[in-house]
Amino acid sequence: MSATTTMTSAAATANTPNPQVKLQLTTRHSDISLPENTGPILVSSSLRRYALSTLVNTLLESPKPVPLEFLINGTFLRTSLDEYLTANGISAETTLTVEYVRALTPPLYLASFEHDDWVSTVDVLSNTSSAATWVGSTAGPAAGQERILSGSYDGLLRVWNMSSETTAVSSSAADGGHTSSIKAAKFLSPTQVVSSGLDRTVRVWKYSESESSSSDSLKPHIDLYGHKASVDSLAVHLPSNRILSASADHTVRFWSTKKSDAPAAPPSLIPNNTLRSSKRRKVTPQSTTPQRGPLALFKSHSAPVSSTIFAPNDPTVAYSTSWDHTLRTWDLPTASLVDTRTTSHPLLSLVALPDLNLLAAGTSARHITLIDPRASATTISALTLRGHTNAVVSLARDPDSSYGLVSGSHDGTCRIWDVRSRKSEKEGVVGESMYTISRESQKGEGRRVGGEGFKVFGVIWNKEFGIVSVGEDKRVQINRGKGVVAKEEAVHSAPAIV
C-alpha cells in the first residue's frame, strides 16, 4: 500500500471535513504495525480516539477490530486532535507523530477471601514475586502452589492457596506471635516471612509447606526489638539479608535477617511478661524465640514515618515518607541522611517507578505525587495524579508496564494509573486514572462517605495473581491485572515525565 493510497483511504474512511491535520502513525507492536512505506495520513482535526481506532483498523484490514489508544509526545490523547493542537500551541500545518497501542483491559473481579477482622496488609508468593526471583526460578512455587499472605487486626498472619483455603496461621500471642494488630507483612523468601505491627515488634517467621499443601506452618524465627511505637511499613531485601521498618515513633530502622549478624535487643524494649494484663495475672512466657536489635537507626523525621523502601537499583540506598510532609533519602552503609524533599502534604505511601526515575507518594490530600529523587531534579513534583476522594495509603507498580501503578485509598477504591494519561485542570496538567476498582462487598450497600466501612488498607500487583487488595471489609479481593496498562514491547529509555 503506497503513501498516496493510504492518505486517500484515510480521508475516505474518516469522511474528513476541513480543517485537516497530517498524522504519522507508528507502533511498537509488530503484529499491528502498518506497512513501512505508509506515509503521513490526512485526517479531520475533529477526530477523537474512537474514530482514530476505527481508522487504523480499516487501514490494517483487521478481520476483528483491535481497540487502540493513541499517544502524542508520550501522553494519551484524551481530546479531539484540534483541542490537542490548541492546548499545546501546535500549528495544524505540523505533521503529528502518533503512536498507537492496544487499549487497556478492565480489571475484572475474580475472587475474595474472607477474614474475621480488618485486613491491613497483603503480599504474594509466585514465580515472579521478588521473594521467589531472589532465590532463582527453581526455588519458587510450582504452578498452582502460589500463595497469598495476609495480616490482620486480630494479630494473625494467614497464608492462602489458590482455592481460597487457609493453609497456615501464625502463632498466637501466647505462643510467641504478635500481641496486637499486624500492620505490615512480606514474604522474604519462599521459606521466610517478615511482619510488624502495633506491638512495636518486627518478626521473622519460618514458613514451610506440607506435602498435602493444606497444612503449612508459620513458626517464630527471630523477634526484632527497637521501635517505641507501631511499626507500619516494611521493606525486605533477601540478597543482602536486610529489612527496613518505618514506625510511628518517627524513625526508620535497619535490621539483619540473620541472628549471627544482628546485635542484641535493647533490654529496655523487651516486654516484661510477668504482668501482662490489667488484672496483674502472671503469664509464663512460652516463646524461646531469639531476640535481636537493629543494625542502625534513622531519626531525622519529625512525625510518624509512613513508608520505607529500598532503592530498586541500589539496595544500599533507602527512601522514606512521613507525616512531616517529607521524602528522605538514606545511605544505609553510613546510616546517613542524603537528601530531603519537602512537599505540601503528609505522605502516606511510597513506590518506585524505576524506568522513569520517579517515586510515587500517596498523600493525605487524596492525590499521588510523582517525585524525581535524583540530585539533578529541578522540581519536587514531576506530576500529580488526582481522582481519589480520601487518603492514598498504599501503592504498587504494574509488573508489566514502566508507566503503570495501582493505588489503594480510604475512599474504598483502588485506582489504576498510567502516568501518560493526563488532563488539564485549573491547577495545570494532572494525571487521571484509567480504571477504578470498588470493593465487591460494597455492591448493594450504596456509596459511603469517605469509604466508611470499606477503606482499602493495602494493595499489590503481581503477574500471576493480578491486583490483590485488602481492607476494612475484612476481605482479600483479587482483580485481573494482566494487560490493564498498555505495555511497550521494549523500554530502553522511558520518556521523562514533564
Side-chain angles (χ1 to χ4, degrees), residues 95 107 125 152 376 388 399:
T95 298
L125 179 64
S152 175
S376 59
H388 280 297

Side-chain angles (χ1 to χ4, degrees), residues 366 387-393 407-415 436-443 446-459 469-473 475 477 479:
R366 309 182 298 278
H388 280 297
T389 58
N390 206 336
V392 182
V393 296
S407 56
S409 169
H410 281 178
D411 65 11
T413 70
C414 293
R415 285 181 180 254
T436 300
I437 301 174
S438 297
R439 303 304 287 170
E440 194 68 16
S441 59
Q442 191 176 4
K443 288 189 173 179
R447 191 167 183 83
R448 305 247 185 122
V449 176
E452 193 64 36
F454 298 94
K455 292 181 175 70
V456 175
F457 295 144
V459 64
S469 56
V470 297
E472 196 178 18
D473 62 356
R475 286 171 170 82
Q477 178 172 313
N479 289 77

